[in-house]
Amino acid sequence: MSESRPSVLFVCVHNAGRSQMAAGFVRALSGGAVEVRSAGSMPAEHINPAAVEAMAEVGVDLRGEQPKVLTEDAVQASDVVITMGCGDACPYYPGKRYEDWKLDDPAGQGVEAVRPIRDEIRTRVEDLLASLGVTAVSVPSNR
């Protein structure tokens, strides 16, 4: 069997802001070295437009993403589960690495308020990748 990539699942309530930004950063910064999923306990209909705009500013395109419902299969298939305020809705499985990232919720916020949340998520994702032994690649900026 070939060496498998580490897999990470980001979970928040609506899967429309924080978890989507984190997943976008993992996809961009890992260069495909990490399998990434995101989901919500109560997914919204659309991704937060301010989160899409804030990520586009740093060269990460979330326009094609959709909020997804959290499933037990997604948790079981992931090595690391990062929760962002999903409370008791997050299933727990022994043997998984769990982290809870306390982050402000970008819901209903403008892009100015979302930028510092985005930057905090990027820092945490870079630390997460380092802990997985993955060297972050540079993300081109579209500015």
Side-chain angles (χ1 to χ4, degrees):
M1 186 165 117
S2 65
E3 188 174 316
S4 64
R5 301 179 294 166
S7 59
V8 178
L9 169 64
F10 293 99
V11 182
C12 64
V13 176
H14 300 296
N15 189 222
R18 295 167 289 186
S19 56
Q20 290 284 354
M21 289 190 288
F25 273 131
V26 169
R27 277 190 292 276
L29 296 173
S30 75
V34 176
E35 183 180 5
V36 63
R37 299 174 181 84
S38 70
S41 51
M42 296 178 358
E45 287 188 34
H46 306 286
I47 294 183
N48 179 338
V52 172
E53 182 179 345
M55 292 299 284
E57 291 175 353
V58 296
V60 179
D61 186 0
L62 296 182
R63 290 176 298 177
E65 299 299 322
Q66 286 293 317
K68 295 169 276 306
V69 69
L70 176 64
T71 65
E72 288 191 22
D73 288 345
V75 177
Q76 289 180 311
S78 300
D79 300 314
V80 182
V81 179
I82 309 287
T83 58
M84 303 171 173
C86 66
D88 295 335
C90 295
Y92 177 82
Y93 290 95
K96 301 287 177 197
R97 174 178 154 193
Y98 285 86
E99 292 182 21
D100 185 43
W101 290 1
K102 305 269 190 249
L103 297 161
D104 291 336
D105 188 348
Q109 304 290 321
V111 72
E112 299 80 18
V114 174
R115 285 182 187 120
I117 300 167
R118 172 203 65 202
D119 296 344
E120 173 69 15
I121 290 171
R122 182 180 185 139
T123 298
R124 290 176 184 237
V125 164
E126 288 170 345
D127 292 344
L128 173 65
L129 293 176
S131 77
L132 294 172
V134 174
T135 302
V137 298
S138 64
V139 176
S141 175
N142 64 353
R143 285 189 177 210

